């Protein structure tokens, strides 16, 4: 699909601007009513979901040209999907998120590339990861964990750490906790170690759609070779790639794909693991976009002409994302006081890191994180719990910059505290 | 074109990041498809693109922008939440002032007043108001729209009107940047005490030149702040709501319930409205074309099939004269009384009613959808767009008369295959100001702008609605909003009101710097506006020629 | 100077008054205004006659002062500021053109008084939204045009209420109709479609009604108007809430109005109550909130019953005790006395013979600070507490209130009258300094109201010039500096 294939979607826009807000049913205050970081930071209509569609039409109609300034607007968006959720509350015929992806693909096709994105694309090509790290070091995070290597033995569950967890030393404890959790749960999981590669999702999101294919094929091959019936990842970005981008592009992994929080929730509910140790803390939970609304499994496959006739079950409206499992985990931990923010679930506010923004526009990423942290502060929570390494990264960086006393904790880490350590 | 010097001055006044001349960015303001068909414009690109877009943060910055525009012979046009053709620039010389960065809100709980800047939405005010037992008037297009924009500059109907009035009549203090950049504050704020509780006087009320049935749609300057009345909310401070719209699940207080009231005909329908108005019951009340727009919005695909069945059609048609009323008792006593009265009224009018409270999920969706006013945009689900006509604000009987005429016109177009079949029943409207017996009904029509035939059909509908308004001497509602040419055409039928608008415009804005395209075409541009309009709506070509010929005759008189 | 002949040619000789006694009486009114006697008084009987008089005034350059109510007049607005003026007395235009029970609206001419409309409305089961005890001969439209507050705040959705539409002749000589009355179509054609001239907005994108209201006859002359009426209650129950200090009534008053539970609702001090009910022997408490609860067409008793209980709870929560009477007089009697046109001596003059009023708009929570200030000023001027009436009328459904100080005195006593005048002037300034909003800036109040608001002055001059380009309509009364 290319941008012009979404002409009807774009022309369907009534410019109602609902895409700038969280769904109206959920507005609970003046302060936290808005839903689009890009719009909130830059304000011109072009930065909204609607404005981006209008830009697309404008280019297709020859009214404006794709240039550096337009490309910058296109890329100053986390692809968080909040606009699509708000739009789809009242529309059945507009796939807004896909329009945004195709605009980026057009940027790449026409050579409007951001150097910061090219850097990680090069890194992917060279070292199979987005962080510019050596491929040889990819499995270092698992040293001493005594976890099976799928290159050496077949496993029931393939654990895919993802680029950020594999290399970000600040977050390594979290991924090691995740493995410990699997062990406690008796899950026979293995890893690919240094042979694990990027899922390719970040490349697709930044417009390098063709790049993802290679990684997807690689991933599918690895899954198959491992003999696993289940793929588990602690990375929300990878999860989204597996659940949405791969199937949308006709790539099947042929296994059940779970986020670590889904598996942990199952284990708790089955009684396999029991959080017993009290963790006396007031916490709130931040829904990562890629695990929440964008973690909703691909609902495409409808092949009609007029999307007005498309049955609702094919609408990627976001409400079937992963929302309850991480909350169930938090609620299962004794001593925790769990409070919700106003913008949660499919109307959650983004952390700021996604869509290539953290790499290309770190100031914007930090601005978005600060906005979210103000919402956290309004709940009185001392800690922000989340389930995505990119979210944790940008929040921690922002806390460091602002001197905030807020703690950011991955949900698996929190669970491990209650389970009594690794 | 805008000069580099003007851009430099704008950037100096606001900061470079808040000024854009990028074509793709400006196209975000040149695409205003909603209700472009009412003007006969194409429902995609507006005729003009702004020459720059600016984002002021304060009244002083708005003032600076206006002064720069005046100095450089540019026009300006402000928008708030910016939905609808009325926000579009009307010439190739317009700086679009996007007021998005002006979004402050304060509430005076005791005196039931909200003071707001332009980019505050109805939902935001409601959410804050409810915390103190207050609510705001929600305009028909939805709760994401700016109440300030509605109250100062556009129309203002909405189905909570029985409790919350009508936008233009809810205005208290106002801050207004005039076309020359001077700041005029109406009412109490003019005294310089930063108080906003009253908007008329001293002496004659300048609200009289601010707006009438319709606002000036940007043609008289920029409204940067206003105070609006708030109204009681006898419900929870923060309703517990799950879901985003159709999937809503809400805890509804035991003293609230919603009712679908079915009347045998429009005459009894009107009687019921009068009786409810006189009884001073009800919190929310409106006609929502239950068997038309509402059903199509809730189940668009099924609806298209349902209306093909003669049996279903006959059932739906029999249920057309329907309205929704929500009773919100502050106490059980109040609820019980209102419920008893409502039952008696419906019985006296030979109707029947369903208590939707007995259907919990439907009740959740409707109760919160109506109270929050989040449902209106769902009308897009069936076709992608809708148009509207009539909507004059008058007595209940006249509102009902308007919907009758509208349905007749639409049925003809449905029969000829020009319009989507909605059983010709798509009027929506409310009852206003409690016991005042004031009402409005607009006749909606759903269409898909991507289908050329439907575009044609909707244009025919607008043409016929305009004809009917004149033929039946119907108080104009939407009709007033047809753009700068319209007052010149309607004026002779309505005490030459256009002469006075022209005087207001020329006195407040001799340089014509505030984009007049949705207010009134100044004398110097009248011919161009009229000819443009006639080109888009050929049915008025003769009228336009008559007006221009009369003008010529007058000017030929020595 | 215009001659009688020209005027008689328009209205007929019998309708041109030249009696000096009648004319000289217009040079003064109950206020402090001092003017010039008019040259003539004319009594037009139709819109066309009004238009012709205006056109004559335009061409001949003489001032017109429209008057609709009978004497005694007040507030200076009908006292000619210029010589050679002509009073346009509309009191003979007194047709009730249409009284529409279904739409609860009356279309009336300017000479229709409260007494007359009240009687007609009552016969149709309706009631007029009246100010507190208007004079029997007070013109309904004149009262509406002056934005006088009325006693049932729940029915005031906007400041223009109860006036809906009107026909008038601007100072420019143009006949105009406002709101939905403007058309398209004649009144009869509009009635055919179910319309009843009930939408006060417009026509189009302006609201001329608002420009004429509050203008003291400086913009044009109204020839008819539609006023909204309300149902006459089938049943009514009245209550009082007494307090030592006004503050004690504020929260309760806000609550009962917020939910539109009460019909008649106002607060008075003992002095005003005594003036209202001179026949009462007992002593009224310092402050009394007066309110009524009504039942309409459906189950009236049950409506009253549930509201009474709801209000009881509110009263309990706010420390107020609703009572049915005080000082030997029932609440119903007080409401009855307060909601009818005033017969005989005007109620404010009953206690001392004369009364000067200071009134302005504020909000209920701001009232106590004005009470304190006024008490201080009264004391400083040696004005007795027992002659200071205070009337607080919530308006716009309780969002604001009309606060009125009634300085009652004996006008025959020059010393007392002098002190009252000094108090009136000083207290007006003091209140203005404290944020009192003189929305109806009669006489000297104009300077207070406009002193900080030059943009409004500039805009009003523009409006005045537009509607009355020759400046013939009641010149000087807008007090904008240069409009005379």
């Amino acid at each position: 699909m290319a941008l012009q294939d979404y002409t009807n979607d774009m022309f369907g826009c009534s410019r109602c601007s609902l895409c700038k807000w969280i769904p109206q049913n959920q507005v609970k205050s003046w302060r936290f009513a808005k839903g689009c970081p890009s719009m909130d930071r830059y304000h011109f209509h072009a930065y909204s979901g609607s404005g981006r569609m209008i830009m697309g039409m404008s280019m297709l109609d020859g009214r404006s040209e794709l240039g550096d300034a337009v490309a910058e607007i296109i890329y100053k968006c986390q692809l968080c999907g909040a606009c699509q959720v708000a739009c789809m509350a009242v529309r059945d015929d507009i796939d807004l998120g896909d329009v945004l992806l195709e605009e980026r693909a057009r940027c790449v096709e026409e050579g409007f590339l951001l150097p910061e994105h090219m850097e990680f694309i090069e890194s992917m090509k060279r070292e199979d990861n987005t962080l510019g790290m050596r491929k040889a070091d990819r499995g270092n995070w698992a040293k001493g964990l005594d976890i099976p290597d799928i290159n050496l033995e077949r496993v029931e569950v393939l654990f895919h750490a993802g680029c950020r967890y594999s290399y970000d030393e600040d977050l390594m404890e979290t991924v090691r906790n995740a493995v410990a959790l699997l062990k406690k749960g008796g899950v026979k999981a293995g890893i690919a170690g240094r042979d694990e590669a990027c899922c390719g999702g970040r490349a697709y999101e930044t417009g390098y759609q063709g790049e993802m294919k290679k990684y997807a094929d690689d991933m599918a091959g690895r899954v198959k070779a491992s003999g696993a019936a289940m793929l588990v990842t602690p990375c929300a970005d990878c999860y989204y790639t597996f659940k949405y981008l791969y199937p949308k592009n006709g790539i099947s992994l042929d296994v059940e794909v779970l986020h670590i929080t889904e598996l942990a929730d199952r284990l708790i509910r089955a009684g396999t693991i029991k959080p017993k140790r009290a963790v006396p803390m007031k916490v709130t939970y931040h829904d990562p976009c890629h695990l929440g609304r964008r973690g909703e499994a691909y609902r495409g496959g409808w092949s009609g002409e007029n999307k007005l006739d498309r049955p609702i079950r094919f609408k990627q409206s976001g409400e079937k994302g992963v929302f309850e499992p991480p909350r169930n985990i938090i609620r299962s931990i004794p001593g925790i006081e769990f409070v919700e923010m106003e913008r949660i679930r499919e109307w959650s506010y983004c952390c700021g890191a996604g869509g290539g923004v953290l790499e290309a526009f770190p100031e914007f990423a930090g601005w978005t994180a600060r906005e979210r942290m103000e919402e956290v502060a309004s709940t009185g929570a001392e800690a922000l719990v989340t389930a995505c390494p990119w979210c944790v990264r940008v929040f921690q960086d922002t806390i460091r910059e602002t001197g905030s006393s807020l703690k950011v904790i991955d949900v698996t880490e929190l669970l491990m505290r209650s389970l009594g350590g690794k | 074109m805008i000069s580099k010097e003007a851009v430099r001055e704008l950037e100096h006044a606001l900061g470079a990041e808040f000024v854009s001349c990028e074509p793709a960015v400006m196209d975000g303001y040149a695409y205003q498809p909603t209700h472009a068909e009412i003007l006969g414009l194409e429902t995609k690109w507006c005729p003009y693109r702004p020459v720059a877009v600016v984002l002021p943060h304060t009244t002083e910055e708005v003032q600076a922008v206006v002064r720069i525009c005046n100095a450089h012979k540019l026009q300006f046009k402000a928008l708030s939440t910016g939905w609808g053709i009325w926000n579009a620039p009307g010439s190739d010389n317009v700086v679009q002032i996007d007021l998005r960065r002006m979004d402050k809100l304060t509430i005076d709980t005791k005196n039931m007043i909200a003071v707001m800047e332009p980019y505050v939405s109805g939902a935001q005010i409601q959410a804050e108001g409810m915390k103190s037992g207050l609510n705001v008037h929600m305009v028909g297009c939805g709760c994401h729209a700016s109440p300030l924009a509605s109250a100062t500059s556009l129309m203002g109907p909405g189905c909570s009107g029985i409790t919350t009035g009508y936008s233009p009549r809810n205005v208290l203090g106002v801050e207004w940047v005039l076309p020359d950049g001077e700041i005029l504050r109406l009412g109490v704020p003019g005294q310089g005490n930063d108080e906003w509780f009253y908007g008329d006087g001293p002496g004659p009320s300048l609200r009289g030149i601010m707006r009438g049935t319709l606002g000036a749609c940007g043609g008289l300057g920029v409204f940067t702040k206003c105070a609006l009345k708030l109204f009681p909310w006898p419900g929870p401070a923060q309703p517990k709501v799950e879901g985003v719209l159709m999937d809503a699940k809400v805890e509804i207080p035991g003293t609230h319930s919603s009712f679908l009231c079915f009347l045998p005909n429009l005459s009894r329908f009107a009687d019921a409205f009068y009786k409810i108005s006189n009884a001073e019951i009800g919190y929310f009340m409106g006609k929502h074309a239950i068997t038309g727009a509402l059903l199509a919005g809730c189940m668009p695909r099924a609806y298209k099939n349902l209306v093909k069945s003669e049996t279903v059609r006959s059932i739906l048609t029999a249920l057309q004269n329907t309205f929704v009323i929500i009773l919100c008792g502050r106490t059980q006593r109040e609820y019980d009384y209102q419920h008893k009265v409502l039952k008696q009224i419906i019985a006296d009018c030979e109707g029947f009613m369903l208590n939707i409270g007995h259907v919990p999920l439907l009740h959740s969706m409707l109760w919160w959808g109506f109270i929050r006013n989040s449902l209106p945009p769902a009308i897009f689900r069936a076709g992608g767009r809708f148009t509207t006509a009539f909507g004059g604000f008058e007595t209940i009987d006249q509102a009902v008369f308007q919907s009758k005429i509208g349905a007749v016109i639409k049925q003809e177009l449905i029969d000829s295959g020009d319009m989507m079949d909605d059983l010709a029943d798509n009027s929506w409207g409310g009852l206003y100001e409690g016991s005042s017996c004031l009402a409005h009904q607009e006749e909606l029509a759903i269409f898909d702008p991507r289908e050329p035939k439907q575009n044609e059909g909707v244009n025919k509908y607008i043409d016929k609605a305009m004809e009917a308004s004149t033929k039946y001497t119907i108080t104009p509602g939407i009709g007033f909003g047809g753009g700068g040419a319209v007052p010149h055409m309607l004026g002779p039928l309505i005490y030459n009101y256009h002469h006075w608008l022209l005087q207001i415009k020329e006195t407040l804005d001799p340089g014509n710097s505030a984009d007049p395209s949705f207010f009134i075409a100044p004398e110097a541009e009248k011919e161009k506006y009229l000819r443009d309009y006639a080109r888009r709506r050929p049915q008025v070509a003769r009228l336009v020629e008559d007006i221009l010929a009369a003008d010529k005759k007058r000017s030929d008189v020595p | 100077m215009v001659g009688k002949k020209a005027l008689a040619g328009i209205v007929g000789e019998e309708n041109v008054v030249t009696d000096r006694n009648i004319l000289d009486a217009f040079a003064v009114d109950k206020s402090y205004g001092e003017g010039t006697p008019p040259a003539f008084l004319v009594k037009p009987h139709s819109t066309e006659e009004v238009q012709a008089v205006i056109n004559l005034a335009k061409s001949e350059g003489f001032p017109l002062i429209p008057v609709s109510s009978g004497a005694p007049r007040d507030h200076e607005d009908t006292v000619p500021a210029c010589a050679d003026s002509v009073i346009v007395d509309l009191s003979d235009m007194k047709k009730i053109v249409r009284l529409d029970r279904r739409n609860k609206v009356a279309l009336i001419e300017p000479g229709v008084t409260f007494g007359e409309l009240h009687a007609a409305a009552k016969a149709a089961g309706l009631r007029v939204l009246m100010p507190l005890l208007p004079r029997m001969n007070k013109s309904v439209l004149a009262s509406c045009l002056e934005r006088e507050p009325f006693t049932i705040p729940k029915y005031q959705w906007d400041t223009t209420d109860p006036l809906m539409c009107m026909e008038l002749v601007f100072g420019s000589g143009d006949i105009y109709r406002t709101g939905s009355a403007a058309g398209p179509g004649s009144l009869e054609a509009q009635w055919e479609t179910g319309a009843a001239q009930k939408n006060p907005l417009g026509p189009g994108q302006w609201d001329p009604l608002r420009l004429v209201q509050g203008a003291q006859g400086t913009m044009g002359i109204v020839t008819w108007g539609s006023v909204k009426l309300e149902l006459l209650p089938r049943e009514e129950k009245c209550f009082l809430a007494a307090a030592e200090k006004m503050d004690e009534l504020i929260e309760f008053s806000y609550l009962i109005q917020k939910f539109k539970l009460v019909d008649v609702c106002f607060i008075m001090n003992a002095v005003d109550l005594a003036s209202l009910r001179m026949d009462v022997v007992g002593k009224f408490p310092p402050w009394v909130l007066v309110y009524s609860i009504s039942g309409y067409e459906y189950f009236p008793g049950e409506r009253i019953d549930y509201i009474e209980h709801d209000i009881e709870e509110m009263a309990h929560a706010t420390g107020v005790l609703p009572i049915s009477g005080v000082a030997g007089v029932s609440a119903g009697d007080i409401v009855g006395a307060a909601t009818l046109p005033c017969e005989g001596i005007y109620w404010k003059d009953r206690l001392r013979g004369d009364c000067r009023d200071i009134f302005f708009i504020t909000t209920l929570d701001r009232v106590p600070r004005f009470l304190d200030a006024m008490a201080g000023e009264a004391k400083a001027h040696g004005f007795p507490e027992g002659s200071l009436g205070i009337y607080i009328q919530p308006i716009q459904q309780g969002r604001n209130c009309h606060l009125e100080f009634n300085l009652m005195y004996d006008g025959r006593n020059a010393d007392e009258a002098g002190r009252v005048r000094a108090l009136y002037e000083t207290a007006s300034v003091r209140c203005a300094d404290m944020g009192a909003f003189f929305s109806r800036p009669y006489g000297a109040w104009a300077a207070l109201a406009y002193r900080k608001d030059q943009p409004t002055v500039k805009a009003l001059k523009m409006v005045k010039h537009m509607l009355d380009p020759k400046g013939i309509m009641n010149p000087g009364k807008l007090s904008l500096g240069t409009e005379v």
Side-chain angles (χ1 to χ4, degrees), chain A residues 226-276:
Chain A
S226 72
M230 181 188 286
L231 173 62
V232 174
T233 181
C235 175
D237 270 31
C238 297
Y239 181 80
Y240 156 72
T241 305
F242 300 149
K243 297 286 273 195
Y244 180 79
L245 290 179
Y246 283 8
K248 175 179 162 62
N249 287 280
I251 300 156
S252 170
L253 294 176
D254 286 332
V255 290
E256 185 181 17
V257 177
L258 291 184
H259 186 258
I260 186 72
T261 56
E262 291 178 289
L263 183 58
D265 179 38
R266 279 189 194 178
L267 295 172
I268 292 167
R269 281 190 286 134
T272 313
I273 55 174
K274 288 185 183 136
K276 285 184 180 162

Side-chain angles (χ1 to χ4, degrees), chain B residues 108 110-113 132-134 161-166 168-172 180 182-185 187-188 190-191 193 195 197-198 200-216 229-232 234 267 270-271 274-275 277-280 330-331 333-334 337-338 340-341 344-345 348 393-398 401 433-438 469 472-476 480 487 493-497 500-501 503-504 507-508 518-519, chain C residues 101-104 147 154-155 157-161 164 167 170 172 174-177 180-185 189-190 193-208 210-215 219 228 230-231 254 257-261 296-300 302-303 306 309-311 313-314 361-366 369 395-400 435-441 448-450 452-453 455-456 458-460 462-463 466-467 478:
Chain B
D108 173 352
K110 274 186 188 162
N111 295 302
M112 301 194 290
I113 294 167
S132 316
L134 295 168
I162 188 170
T163 303
T164 61
Y166 193 79
R169 286 174 46 85
N170 289 339
V171 178
L172 298 163
D180 63 357
E182 287 296 311
I183 298 172
L184 178 63
R185 293 183 178 90
V188 179
Q191 303 292 309
N193 302 327
E195 289 177 344
F197 57 81
Y198 196 84
D200 300 273
S205 173
L206 292 169
R207 285 170 68 191
I209 54 169
M210 179 181 90
R211 66 161 301 149
T213 304
L214 190 76
K229 293 164 195 161
L230 297 178
F231 300 87
S267 170
D271 290 345
Y274 276 102
K275 286 175 185 291
S277 181
N278 285 339
E280 301 185 19
R330 200 182 47 77
T331 58
R333 283 187 291 263
E334 182 170 64
Y337 171 77
Q338 294 202 7
K340 183 174 178 179
V341 172
Q344 190 61 49
I345 287 173
D348 288 353
F393 184 59
E394 244 290 332
T395 62
I396 295 163
D397 279 339
Q398 221 233 6
F401 179 77
E433 300 191 355
S435 60
S436 300
C437 302
L438 285 164
S469 297
Y472 295 105
T473 64
I474 293 171
T475 306
F480 278 130
L493 302 175
I494 303 176
Y495 280 84
N496 290 319
Y497 77 90
W500 303 100
L501 296 189
Q503 285 199 53
I504 292 170
T507 313
L508 285 182
F518 293 89
F519 180 44
Chain C
R101 168 67 173 75
R102 184 165 167 93
N103 290 301
K104 296 185 292 187
R147 290 199 297 255
K154 76 169 181 178
Y155 291 134
W157 289 84
D158 197 358
T159 47
T160 50
D161 287 345
M164 309 311 272
E167 181 188 76
F170 288 131
S172 63
D174 295 282
I175 297 177
Y176 202 74
R177 289 184 183 175
S180 51
Q190 292 174 21
T193 66
Q197 297 79 48
K198 252 200 127 165
N199 170 13
L201 301 164
Q205 291 101 318
W206 77 317
D207 240 353
R210 292 185 190 280
L211 301 174
V212 176
Q213 227 179 6
M219 301 294 180
K228 74 169 178 177
E230 293 293 344
L231 287 185
Y254 271 127
Q257 288 176 85
K258 175 177 176 179
F259 295 100
K260 303 190 191 87
L261 298 176
Y296 310 112
E297 291 171 331
Y298 283 93
F299 314 114
E302 288 178 48
R303 183 174 196 274
Y306 97 75
H309 279 93
D310 282 5
I311 288 181
E313 287 172 2
M314 291 171 172
I361 307 284
T362 184
T363 57
L364 206 51
D365 55 337
R366 291 170 172 92
R369 71 175 84 149
I395 56 174
Q396 296 208 80
Q397 302 174 334
R399 287 175 191 82
N400 337 111
F437 184 60
F438 287 92
S439 73
R440 299 158 56 196
L448 300 175
Y450 294 126
K452 293 180 186 166
D453 195 2
T456 288
K458 191 176 160 191
L460 284 176
M462 180 277 283
V463 169
M466 182 175 86
L467 300 181
L478 273 182

